[in-house]
């Protein structure tokens, strides 16, 4: 557009208009051929680039005789000129564009459709972001002029104000970000009443005045809102206007000066809107008030003006009235009313949460008591999603010492305990078609099982926290209530239910769910009583404590005297009893021994004819051993005094009930704990006795047959009892069987299963784990018991580690199809199928955990069952080996000081790690992480380089390869993989990526403390250990190239991995590293060049990818940091930017200079980068017009999202096809 072309000849304009109209008619005519439609589209795209396009757009849009769709295209021509060519125009031409926009706005009519109004508003805001408060000073006056017009003009102004507010204050808008300081100040100026500005900023600068009038837009909108509500009647236009006003208010209230909200009576007007008979107005009012009361850290004056009025009788009664009206029946849910109910509960949550800021400012005669009654009513609501907000509020109130001691609060604790005890039941265990109203609402609110589990977990947590805090405040009364209610339920578990039967046993029976709920509340109460006992220091309460503890003991003994046939119920009873012994009754060792003896006497007949019952009996036995270990750790000093009696009883029980040597070892580990941790045992006899426990284990590890069995893959298979598996698989041609779970297993297959089971039981892995775990768990480093364990295992580890490492290495090699040499080539793919784990996990698996394990159990005697047995055997070896390494790591220098260990350990863990599945690799990372983090400072230099280098090389290889496979499969999808399988694979890969990224975050955390070091604690560093580094692990990694290079390479590739949660974290990690390499050292220069090339390229490519559109803020910030910090020292960042297509050198240089100037304004930095890369920046699918933006009313609120988070995809986006990045792949390095 040049000076002459801006006003083309009338004939030219008419011809162009006719051609545009014809092209649009062709596109929208269903009879048009694809070829004609494509030609018309190409013509319209060319029109946008025409210098005269803005004038054509204006004349078309201003012509009221044209159809709305034609006028909308005219507006899009103006929009394109403003967005993409504004900087190319002269001041006069920009002024002319602005005048055209003003003319279109002034001539808007009631008949114009909303999309015309919204487009005009969008263009207005785009112009404002570029010129308002710069050379357009009378914008506010123009808006006020429009405000004086009809409702259509007022709605246009509201749309402009909302969009402007969102772009300047709410969104990461790159254009607004370039002028964020001026625009935010100008917005504050025109929205705020002049009286407020003068009172707060009496010496404010008045040289530049962008406002018009004294009122400000908050006042004007408030006045119009009041008029719309008072005059609404059945006038739909005024109702719609009222809703639009509140939507606009909502965009501004979050950043507006609090005093302006009280001055303009916004709150009272919103209360008035709440009383409206219009449901849309009520919903908009609640949404707007939610923003007001989501603000925190208010001054006392603002608290009095905005918060205190919410606790008046009138306001609380209004809330109660709306609550009563909006409650719906689970059998007939009115969606609009139910939505209002949920939003109201969230509003009450926000208001209640603010109580803790200035509780003393709430007047005594206020409606505080009524507000608490409202909270109780909401907590009792049958909808758990409504109820959870009230429970969360009670958690906050009970956490405030000022509030919890007030009389109104204490008067509600009985009802609150009743609600909690009724709601801790495991709703996820109830059938989906249950008529229970809470289950009906739950299914209505939450579609997926994983989200439901997470939500219910939070719900139960709040119930327990409330119970714990109430008991902490009033233990006697609260425990009396809880114990009485629990005893009543426990005494009538089977009322109305069939008697217990092994045949019909279920882990989710109603009696068990009742028992589990009562035990959960009791355990929370016990925690509260412990807190109360710990806090009591006055001697006056001694008698009160003694009475309470005696009552607890009597109650527990009474429950232990009851008979329970259900092994799962017995589990909960034992857990609860141990909770009594280790909690409030922890000083009564004799009572603890009663529990200890009670557990040893617990015996249930095992009947394999009833698999579910049999499995429950095995679970009970495992639980009994675990609880015995807990009691042994806690009361070792008492148990050692009666050790002979304990030893005799434990030996008898282990011989009578233990299924194999591994279970017997776990029983004997109880005796090991007592001997190890009792303070009164002499050192030498203790050492000898402990070595006696371990000698049989060491003998197994040193068995002359074990080492040769680990020397080759075939011998290892023989060791695991699956030496003939390859021949069996080939003979039965399992690769030709499509459904293994439907194919019965023959006798040979069953014999193989049994053989593997016995072989695994003979290995010393589980027994070693039993003793090693209890040697280190719950011990403070450098404590006496820890030192004893270190000295003990220091002798044993050299005899265990060689074969342990060989065992793990062979378990990894088991997954490599190349090692299955006895299989014919056409069957190599069966190895992957056979060794792919089935596992249950929230966010990945369909159905509940119990359903999953039931399904696995049902396939035991099928070919799938055989594959499951093979997987389980190898997994047990692999993961038990990992755990042993973790436990050894807890021994500190006794483990890490072996100079020869790092090389074989790294080779063991990572040489064949590529053969592991994605899920198995994630387990390796998560399990081995403590071994890395617990490495003492003195051992870092010799231990960590090989381990971390090997780990990150494999992580980079595995994650990159798997993401490439996902991308390839997405591009070349031929239906070979089911959608469920594809989603599962992608979800598991995201988990591996996130686990790996979190490892990086932990390692490079600048504030991460070093692990405790006994040498440093004893002052050894000053007396002979000057080599010990005192920096944290981040400093060590940054100074060690062997580690740093693979870590940074992994981080660089992670920027392109399609998991937004991980990518966001990695950009921040890399951003923190940029500052570390400013100097001219050799490492600094090399890393700086890498960051300036590869990392910068990866950021730009991801910025181009529409998948990462929500991460453009993070990516642009990292790009800005690299340019600002490195461009003065190296030409590389500038050269990379110059290599990009369609970006001239002067634009790059201008952006770099702007970045230097904005070095302290991060938002402006991001805006500069996004503006520079605008032509390359990816856009969301909603921006592309491929989908419409979702209805805000149907979207989950932030509070709802906080109660449920899906791990399936951290960003919650719908999976999209990969965009064509062909043009970006070779974007760099070309002239």
């Amino acid at each position: 557009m040049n000076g002459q072309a801006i006003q083309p000849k009338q004939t030219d304009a008419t011809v162009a208009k006719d051609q545009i109209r014809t092209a649009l008619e062709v596109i929208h005519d269903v009879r048009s051929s694809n070829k004609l439609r494509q030609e018309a589209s190409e013509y319209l795209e060319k029109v946008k680039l025409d210098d005269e396009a803005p004038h054509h757009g204006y004349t078309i849009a201003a012509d009221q005789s044209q159809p709305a769709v034609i006028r909308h295209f005219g507006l899009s021509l103006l929009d394109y000129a403003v967005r993409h060519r504004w900087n190319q125009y002269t001041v006069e031409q920009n002024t002319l564009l602005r005048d055209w926009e003003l003319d279109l706005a002034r001539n808007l009519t009631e008949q114009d459709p909303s999309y015309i109004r919204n487009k005009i508003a969008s263009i207005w805001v785009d112009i404002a972001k570029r010129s308002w408060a710069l050379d357009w000073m009378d914008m506010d006056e123009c808006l006020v002029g429009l405000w004086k017009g009809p409702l259509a003009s007022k709605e246009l102004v509201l749309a402009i104000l909302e969009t402007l507010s969102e772009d300047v204050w709410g969104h990461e808008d790159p254009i607004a970000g370039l002028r964020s300081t001026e625009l935010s100040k100008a917005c504050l100026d025109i929205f705020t009443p002049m009286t407020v500005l003068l009172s707060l900023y009496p010496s404010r600068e008045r040289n530049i005045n962008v406002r018009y009038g004294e009122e400000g837009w908050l006042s004007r909108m408030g006045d119009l809102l009041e008029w719309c509500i008072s005059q609404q009647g059945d006038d739909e236009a005024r109702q719609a206007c009222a809703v639009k006003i509140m939507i606009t208010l909502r965009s501004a209230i979050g950043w507006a000066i609090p005093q302006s909200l009280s001055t303009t009576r916004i709150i009272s007007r919103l209360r008035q809107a709440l009383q409206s008979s219009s449901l849309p107005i009520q919903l908009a009012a609640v949404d707007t008030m939610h923003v007001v009361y989501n603000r925190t850290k208010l001054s006392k004056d603002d608290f009095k003006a905005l918060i205190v009025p919410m606790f008046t009788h009138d306001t609380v009664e209004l809330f109660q009235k709306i609550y009563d009206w909006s409650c719906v029946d689970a059998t007939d849910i009115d969606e609009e009313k139910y939505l209002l109910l949920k939003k109201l509960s969230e509003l009450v949550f926000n208001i209640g949460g603010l109580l803790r800021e200035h509780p003393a400012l709430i007047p005594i005669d206020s409606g505080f008591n009524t507000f608490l009654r409202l909270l109780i009513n909401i907590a009792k609501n049958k909808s758990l999603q409504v109820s959870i907000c009230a429970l969360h509020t009670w958690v906050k109130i009970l956490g405030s010492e000022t509030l919890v001691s007030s009389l109104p609060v204490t008067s509600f604790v009985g009802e609150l305990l009743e609600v909690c005890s009724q709601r801790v039941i495991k709703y996820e265990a109830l059938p989906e078609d249950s008529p229970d109203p809470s289950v009906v609402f739950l299914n209505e609110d939450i579609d997926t099982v994983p989200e439901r589990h997470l939500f219910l977990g939070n719900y139960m947590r709040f119930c327990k926290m409330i119970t714990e805090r109430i008991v902490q405040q009033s233990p006697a009364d609260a425990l009396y209530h809880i114990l009485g209610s629990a005893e009543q339920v426990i005494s009538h578990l089977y009322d109305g239910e069939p008697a217990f039967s092994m045949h019909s046993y279920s882990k989710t029976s109603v009696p068990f769910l009742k028992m589990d709920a009562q035990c959960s509340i009791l355990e929370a109460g016990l925690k509260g009583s412990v807190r109360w006992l710990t806090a009591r220091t006055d001697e006056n309460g001694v008698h009160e404590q003694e009475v309470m503890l005696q009552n607890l003991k009597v109650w527990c003994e009474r429950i232990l005297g009851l008979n329970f046939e259900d092994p799962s119920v017995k589990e909960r009873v034992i857990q609860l009893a141990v909770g009594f012994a280790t909690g409030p009754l922890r000083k009564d060792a004799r009572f603890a021994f009663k529990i200890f003896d009670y557990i040893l006497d617990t015996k249930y007949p095992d009947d394999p004819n009833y698999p579910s019952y049999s499995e429950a009996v095995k679970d009970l036995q495992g639980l009994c051993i675990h609880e015995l270990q807990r009691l042994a750790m806690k009361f070792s000093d008492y148990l050692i005094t009666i050790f002979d009696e304990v030893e005799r009883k434990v030996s008898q029980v282990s011989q009578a009930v233990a299924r194999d040597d591994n279970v017997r070892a776990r029983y004997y580990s109880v005796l090991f704990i007592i001997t190890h941790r009792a303070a009164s045992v002499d050192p030498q006899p203790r050492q000898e006795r402990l070595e006696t426990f371990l000698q049989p284990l060491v003998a197994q590890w040193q068995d002359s047959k074990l080492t040769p069995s680990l020397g080759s893959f075939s011998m290892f298979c023989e060791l695991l009892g699956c030496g003939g598996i390859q021949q069996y698989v080939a003979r039965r041609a399992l690769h030709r069987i499509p459904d293994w779970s439907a194919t019965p297993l023959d006798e040979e297959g069953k014999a193989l299963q049994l053989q593997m089971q016995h072989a695994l039981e003979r290995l010393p892995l589980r027994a070693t784990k039993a003793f090693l775990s209890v040697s280190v768990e719950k011990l403070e480093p450098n404590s006496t018991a820890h030192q004893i364990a270190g000295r003990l295992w220091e002798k044993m580890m050299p005899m265990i580690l060689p074969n342990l490492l060989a065992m793990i290495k062979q378990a990894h090699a088991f997954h490599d199809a190349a090692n299955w040499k006895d299989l014919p080539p056409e069957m190599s793919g069966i190895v992957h199928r056979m060794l792919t784990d089935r596992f249950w996990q929230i966010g990945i698996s369909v159905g509940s955990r119990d359903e999953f394990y039931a399904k696995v159990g049902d396939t035991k005697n099928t070919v799938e069952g055989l594959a499951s047995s093979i997987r389980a055997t190898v997994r047990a070896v692999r993961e038990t080996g990992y755990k042993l390494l973790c436990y050894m790591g807890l021994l500190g220098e006794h483990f890490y000081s072996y100079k020869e260990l790092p090389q074989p350990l790294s080779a063991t863990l990572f040489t064949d790690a590529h053969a592991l599945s994605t899920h198995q690799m994630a387990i390796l990372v998560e399990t081995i992480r403590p071994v890395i983090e617990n490495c003492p400072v003195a051992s870092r230099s010799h231990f960590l380089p090989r381990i971390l280098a090997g780990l990150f090389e494999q992580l980079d290889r595995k994650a990159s390869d798997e993401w490439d496979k996902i991308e390839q499969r997405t591009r070349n999808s031929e239906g070979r993989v089911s959608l469920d399988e594809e989603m599962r694979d992608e979800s598991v890969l995201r988990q591996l990526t996130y686990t790996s990224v979190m490892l990086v975050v932990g390692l490079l955390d600048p504030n991460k403390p070093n692990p405790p070091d006994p040498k440093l604690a004893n002052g050894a560093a000053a007396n002979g250990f000057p080599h010990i580094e005192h920096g944290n692990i981040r400093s060590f990694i940054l100074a060690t190239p062997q580690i740093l290079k693979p870590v940074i390479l992994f981080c660089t590739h992670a920027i392109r991995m399609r998991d937004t949660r991980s990518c966001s974290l990695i950009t921040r990690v890399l951003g923190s590293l940029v500052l570390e390499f400013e100097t001219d050292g050799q490492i600094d220069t090399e890393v700086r060049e890498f960051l300036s090339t590869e990392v910068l390229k990866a950021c730009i490519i991801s910025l181009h990818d529409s998948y990462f559109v929500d991460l453009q803020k993070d990516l642009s910030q990292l790009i800005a940091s690299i340019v600002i910090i490195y461009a003065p020292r190296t030409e590389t960042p500038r050269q990379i930017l110059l290599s990009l297509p369609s970006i001239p050198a002067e634009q790059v240089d201008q952006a770099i200079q702007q970045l230097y100037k904005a070095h302290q304004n991060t938002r402006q930095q991001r805006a500069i980068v996004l503006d520079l890369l605008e032509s390359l920046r990816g856009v969301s699918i909603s921006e592309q017009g491929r989908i419409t933006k979702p209805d805000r009313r149907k979207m989950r609120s932030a509070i709802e999202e906080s109660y449920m988070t899906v791990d399936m995809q951290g960003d919650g986006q719908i999976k999209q096809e990969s965009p064509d990045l062909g043009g970006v792949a070779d974007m760099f390095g070309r002239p």
Side-chain angles (χ1 to χ4, degrees), residues 817-926:
N819 292 320
W820 293 56
K821 300 184 185 299
D822 292 338
L823 286 180
E826 66 272 14
M827 294 187 68
S828 60
I830 206 172
V831 177
H832 173 75
R833 180 181 175 186
M834 185 178 296
L835 298 181
T836 298
D837 284 327
R838 291 185 295 175
F839 56 93
W840 185 92
Q841 189 166 354
I842 289 179
I844 297 175
S845 306
V846 177
S848 68
R849 184 193 299 267
D850 291 337
E851 290 170 342
F852 169 78
Y853 283 112
K855 185 177 179 180
V856 171
D858 292 341
T859 62
K860 181 178 180 181
N861 294 319
T862 67
V863 172
E864 180 58 44
L866 175 63
S868 182
S869 297
I870 296 170
R871 290 192 296 269
T873 302
V874 180
R875 182 171 59 246
V877 173
R878 189 179 65 244
E879 295 183 9
T880 305
Y882 297 163
K883 289 300 293 182
L884 289 177
L885 293 174
C886 287
Y887 291 136
M888 290 178 182
L890 292 174
L891 294 169
E893 284 293 346
H894 299 285
F895 170 72
Y896 292 98
S897 60
Y898 290 118
K899 298 295 183 183
E900 303 82 9
L901 179 61
Q903 191 279 328
L905 179 59
S906 179
T908 293
L909 294 174
F910 309 125
T911 298
D912 294 305
H914 65 277
L916 298 176
S917 70
T918 308
H919 174 63
Q920 292 156 357
M921 190 71 168
I923 292 174
L924 170 60
V925 176
E926 197 60 53

Side-chain angles (χ1 to χ4, degrees), residues 684-874:
Q684 189 59 36
R686 186 207 308 270
Q687 189 77 10
E688 292 172 358
R689 184 62 188 268
L690 292 176
E691 288 179 2
T692 303
F693 282 112
L694 299 184
Q695 281 168 359
L697 286 177
V698 174
Q700 282 184 279
W701 282 106
Q702 292 193 302
D703 190 312
S704 59
K705 297 179 182 179
L706 181 60
T707 302
S709 297
L710 298 170
S712 68
F713 179 74
S714 59
M715 292 294 290
F716 178 69
C717 291
E718 293 289 343
L719 179 68
L720 295 189
C722 55
I725 195 66
Q726 297 185 58
Q727 292 78 7
Y728 177 82
V729 168
R731 192 163 52 251
R732 287 209 59 185
L734 296 187
H735 63 297
R736 294 177 184 161
I737 301 176
D739 187 358
W740 285 357
S741 59
T743 306
L745 196 60
D746 58 17
E747 293 304 316
E748 184 183 358
K750 292 178 182 178
L752 276 171
Q753 278 185 319
L754 194 61
Q755 193 173 303
M756 285 186 283
Q757 179 184 337
H758 292 328
L760 185 61
E761 289 171 357
R762 287 193 296 270
L763 294 178
L765 283 166
R766 289 177 177 171
T768 307
K769 179 185 172 185
F771 284 100
L772 187 52
S773 63
V774 298
S775 299
V776 293
E777 282 182 348
K778 299 181 180 179
L779 285 181
E780 289 294 325
N782 211 33
S783 62
T784 301
H786 188 269
Q787 292 174 349
I788 293 170
R791 289 192 296 269
L792 176 68
W793 285 99
E794 190 172 24
K795 298 178 181 179
M796 310 297 176
M797 283 190 290
M799 295 180 276
I800 295 173
L801 275 169
N803 281 338
L804 173 62
L805 296 182
M807 207 174 282
I808 298 172
K809 183 172 175 53
Q810 291 292 359
H812 283 188
F814 198 90
H815 292 267
D816 191 345
N819 292 320
W820 293 56
K821 300 184 185 299
D822 292 338
L823 286 180
E826 66 272 14
M827 294 187 68
S828 60
I830 206 172
V831 177
H832 173 75
R833 180 181 175 186
M834 185 178 296
L835 298 181
T836 298
D837 284 327
R838 291 185 295 175
F839 56 93
W840 185 92
Q841 189 166 354
I842 289 179
I844 297 175
S845 306
V846 177
S848 68
R849 184 193 299 267
D850 291 337
E851 290 170 342
F852 169 78
Y853 283 112
K855 185 177 179 180
V856 171
D858 292 341
T859 62
K860 181 178 180 181
N861 294 319
T862 67
V863 172
E864 180 58 44
L866 175 63
S868 182
S869 297
I870 296 170
R871 290 192 296 269
T873 302
V874 180

Side-chain angles (χ1 to χ4, degrees), residues 214 626 941 996:
E214 301 290 313
H626 175 72
S941 58
S996 306

